[in-house]
Amino acid sequence: MDELCTGLCRLMVDSGADAGLAQFLSLLVGVLLVSGVPLLTVILLIWIERKVAARIQDRIGPNRVGPIGLMQTFADLLKLLGKEDITPTSADRWLYNAAPLVSFASVVLIWAVVPFTPFHYGVDLEIGALFFVAVASFGTLAIMVAGWASNNKYALLGAFRVVSLLVSYEVPLVFALLVPVLLAGSMSMLDIVNAQTGMWFVVLSPLAFVIFYVSSQAETGRAPFDLIEAESELVAGFNIEYSGMKFGMFFAAEFLHVFTNGILMALLFFGGWLGPLYYESPLIAFAWLGLKGGVIYLTTLWLRNTVPRLRIDQIMAFNWKFLVPLSIANLIFISAALKVMQEIGWAPRDMIGAGFGELVPTTVVLLLINGAMIIYLLGILRKRGQEARRESQATRAALAHAAADQGAA
Amino acid sequence: MNILNEWAFVGLFAVMAPVFPALPIVIAWLFRPRKPNVLKSSTYECGVETIGDTWVQFRVQYYIYGLIFLVFDVEMVFLFPWAVAYNEMSLFGFVAGFLFIFLLTDALFYAWKKNALDWK
């Protein structure tokens, strides 16, 4: 994007345009090009989401409009255009209208730092990873604002759940994000991908990937963490009062956020565009990134449509008593092991440019540590599961006993 | 791209990002029907009029989670530079970061023991 902007700028200055204006216009073209990718994919994503959900639930899904229902999203868009937009009289008008904009904008803004290929990206910020964390939390704010401004009790309940849920899951998310940053020694997305030339980070630290995966599923507010919407208890949660296009924007934002997380996971843990022949052409690099991101995205859809919703106390306990300590322990073990290996010279000082051969000892040691942690964790989980089962059996037996007593009397 | 230009790009992106969702809403505003009435624009609940104010004080548990989150949020911001400098760090710098994480993990276990993490 850099060369494109400078080239465009020079072209305009050469043809007699004002330098400042030329710079602004070339930046604008860059912004439109980069943001065009998420805006175009979201149209496809809505269709994919519905189709996958339908297949998992043994339905056919949209298949009437266009070939295999591909035009369904456009039909929906047209329908939403004709819908009346109702703003409750008791709502806070300004915040109520701003919330869907912020919700969608926060997701689009992430794409400013998402590189598509080694040469095609918006900006390669030195603090790319931190930028992602900062911008993504705007989505939380939008949902909170929507719930509060609607002045509706269901909406407010949903919004309060969001604050506790999304804010809590941000902690393990960022702790997991620290692992690739630490391994690459940089927050820039390009550097993180380049540092994986020798070995993907998912191999060096599978636990960090699992933590990131679970908490990003929670960040998007999807099953099993979908209690911000919780159709059966809160009717629709925070977006209950929204109708027409504003409602549509909340949904588009959610769908896009899920896909964005898939792409981010591909970049952070699966080496982004790294794959056979990626250096031959940017198209191949882009295809690798899309393939990896797409597969991760499909697994999140699969998860969403398979598991039931959890209760809020279970969700919070799972986060604070399991995921957060685990993510801290993971960070400590990984960093300690790597530091020791760097000191005795087994691991390279810099991952960027390190070949596969140099990384073999590092990979083996880190994998062993991760494996030990996973086995230990599975042991804990099994013990907790047995305890819970014994408890519930005891309650059930007591209840049956009481019922039998009543029957005898 | 120099650093000023980079942030100009991000700034322009931030200005343009809300425009994309605003466009369809504005287009819809041109086409959509407008037939408001008192019942339609009243607060949706279950058919009867809502009782009481919505904007009230809420249960304290949410606030406690917020406080614990704040501790960790600040911790994480401090850990990012540590992670970036990790490769060039001496063992001393590493141990210093280690102690920092340890102190805040301590806070988590304190909150745990005080039952602040239980949903009540």
Side-chain angles (χ1 to χ4, degrees):
Chain A
M1 206 49 65
D2 185 12
E3 286 133 51
L4 182 111
C5 282
T6 352
L8 252 178
C9 190
R10 195 163 304 137
L11 199 73
M12 277 190 271
V13 173
D14 284 348
S15 53
D18 179 53
L21 185 73
Q23 201 162 23
F24 173 75
L25 282 178
S26 56
L27 274 181
L28 192 66
V29 170
V31 167
L32 289 179
L33 273 177
V34 173
S35 52
V37 177
L39 292 177
L40 288 179
T41 36
V42 75
I43 294 173
L44 193 64
L45 288 181
I46 296 170
W47 176 79
I48 294 176
E49 176 101 30
R50 295 183 58 180
K51 206 73 179 170
V52 170
R55 284 300 178 184
I56 289 175
Q57 294 160 0
D58 206 6
R59 295 183 284 121
I60 296 171
N63 67 341
R64 293 280 156 174
V65 196
I68 51 170
L70 265 171
M71 293 290 139
Q72 184 64 44
T73 312
F74 294 100
D76 287 346
L77 259 173
L78 276 180
K79 180 194 75 178
L80 281 175
L81 280 179
K83 287 286 175 192
E84 186 172 359
D85 183 52
I86 303 160
T87 309
T89 35
S90 56
D92 186 323
R93 289 199 86 87
W94 275 95
L95 291 180
Y96 179 85
N97 289 323
L101 303 188
V102 177
S103 175
F104 194 82
S106 74
V107 185
V108 175
L109 207 48
I110 297 175
W111 288 78
V113 293
V114 170
F116 304 113
T117 75
F119 314 106
H120 300 81
Y121 49 87
V123 278
D124 179 35
L125 288 184
E126 274 173 35
I127 53 153
L130 194 61
F131 181 84
F132 151 67
V133 176
V135 167
S137 49
F138 264 102
T140 317
L141 193 69
I143 292 173
M144 178 65 204
V145 165
W148 184 261
S150 296
N151 201 355
N152 179 307
K153 279 161 195 121
Y154 289 125
L156 192 69
L157 274 172
F160 270 110
R161 286 176 171 194
V162 172
V163 175
S164 53
L165 171 81
L166 299 196
V167 142
S168 299
Y169 276 84
E170 210 173 296
V171 176
L173 181 91
V174 180
F175 270 116
L177 181 66
L178 272 168
V179 172
V181 170
L182 183 139
L183 290 172
S186 167
M187 285 190 263
S188 141
M189 287 292 184
L190 272 184
D191 285 351
I192 290 178
V193 175
N194 286 332
Q196 301 179 58
T197 334
M199 182 61 75
W200 291 356
F201 287 164
V202 70
V203 185
L204 293 180
S205 174
L207 256 182
F209 168 68
V210 172
I211 296 167
F212 194 91
Y213 185 92
V214 171
S215 38
S216 66
Q217 183 82 355
E219 281 289 302
T220 45
R222 313 206 111 199
F225 306 102
D226 63 339
L227 41 76
I228 49 170
E229 280 166 36
E231 292 89 343
S232 44
E233 324 163 10
L234 292 177
V235 191
F238 69 95
N239 58 19
I240 187 169
E241 291 284 8
Y242 285 89
S243 54
M245 215 31 136
K246 287 176 198 158
F247 171 78
M249 281 304 135
F250 275 120
F251 260 71
E254 187 191 316
F255 291 162
L256 189 57
H257 199 170
V258 180
F259 182 67
T260 311
N261 276 337
I263 291 284
L264 275 170
M265 276 183 262
L267 284 168
L268 292 170
F269 293 98
F270 286 86
W273 54 75
L274 301 175
L277 298 175
Y278 79 93
Y279 40 79
E280 292 287 333
S281 136
L283 266 180
I284 299 177
F286 187 64
W288 274 116
L289 178 63
L291 182 74
K292 290 172 187 173
V295 169
I296 299 171
Y297 168 69
L298 284 180
T299 60
T300 61
L301 289 192
W302 183 12
L303 188 70
R304 186 214 176 185
N305 287 298
T306 314
V307 286
R309 182 186 309 139
L310 295 169
R311 268 194 339 251
I312 187 150
D313 60 323
Q314 294 167 330
I315 283 188
M316 298 312 260
F318 177 67
N319 178 64
W320 287 109
K321 296 181 181 172
F322 184 76
L323 270 189
V324 172
L326 174 64
S327 58
I328 296 175
N330 183 46
L331 181 69
I332 288 176
F333 281 129
I334 293 261
S335 60
L338 196 64
K339 197 80 228 171
V340 170
M341 278 193 289
Q342 280 180 349
E343 290 294 322
I344 55 176
W346 281 14
R349 278 269 167 189
D350 200 351
M351 289 274 180
I352 302 171
F356 174 73
E358 283 174 76
L359 284 169
V360 169
T362 322
T363 312
V364 172
V365 172
L366 288 189
L367 258 184
L368 279 178
I369 290 174
N370 265 286
M373 279 176 76
I374 288 171
I375 290 169
Y376 178 66
L377 282 171
L378 286 179
I380 291 182
L381 285 180
R382 206 160 136 215
K383 222 174 106 199
R384 286 302 307 271
Q386 280 171 348
E387 270 170 29
R389 222 167 299 138
R390 215 170 294 139
E391 243 170 63
S392 77
Q393 268 168 0
T395 342
R396 213 173 301 150
L399 280 175
H401 196 73
D405 275 357
Q406 240 172 12
Chain B
M1 217 184 293
N2 58 40
I3 197 148
L4 190 74
N5 236 339
E6 271 184 7
W7 285 102
F9 183 87
V10 173
L12 196 62
F13 214 111
V15 174
M16 289 302 288
V19 174
F20 301 123
L23 263 180
I25 292 177
V26 170
I27 296 172
W29 178 76
L30 294 173
F31 287 106
R32 65 173 195 229
R34 280 181 195 75
K35 287 176 196 151
N37 63 40
V38 181
L39 278 179
K40 206 189 275 177
S41 49
S42 65
T43 302
Y44 168 80
E45 211 165 284
C46 50
V48 290
E49 267 175 55
T50 52
I51 297 172
D53 199 3
T54 312
W55 293 334
V56 292
Q57 289 189 339
F58 230 69
R59 62 186 296 171
V60 75
Q61 188 64 45
Y62 295 106
Y63 177 69
I64 292 172
Y65 279 128
L67 273 183
I68 304 171
F69 162 73
L70 211 58
V71 173
F72 280 95
D73 208 28
V74 175
E75 174 182 8
M76 287 173 319
V77 171
F78 282 125
L79 277 178
F80 268 104
W82 176 77
V84 169
Y86 178 81
N87 284 330
E88 288 98 59
M89 218 167 356
S90 64
L91 212 55
F92 173 76
F94 169 72
V95 172
F98 207 84
L99 278 178
F100 181 63
I101 301 176
F102 173 76
L103 282 177
L104 284 144
T105 316
D106 205 36
L108 177 71
F109 282 104
Y110 177 76
W112 195 336
K113 278 277 168 285
K114 282 276 174 189
N115 294 330
L117 301 181
D118 289 327
W119 187 260
K120 290 185 285 275

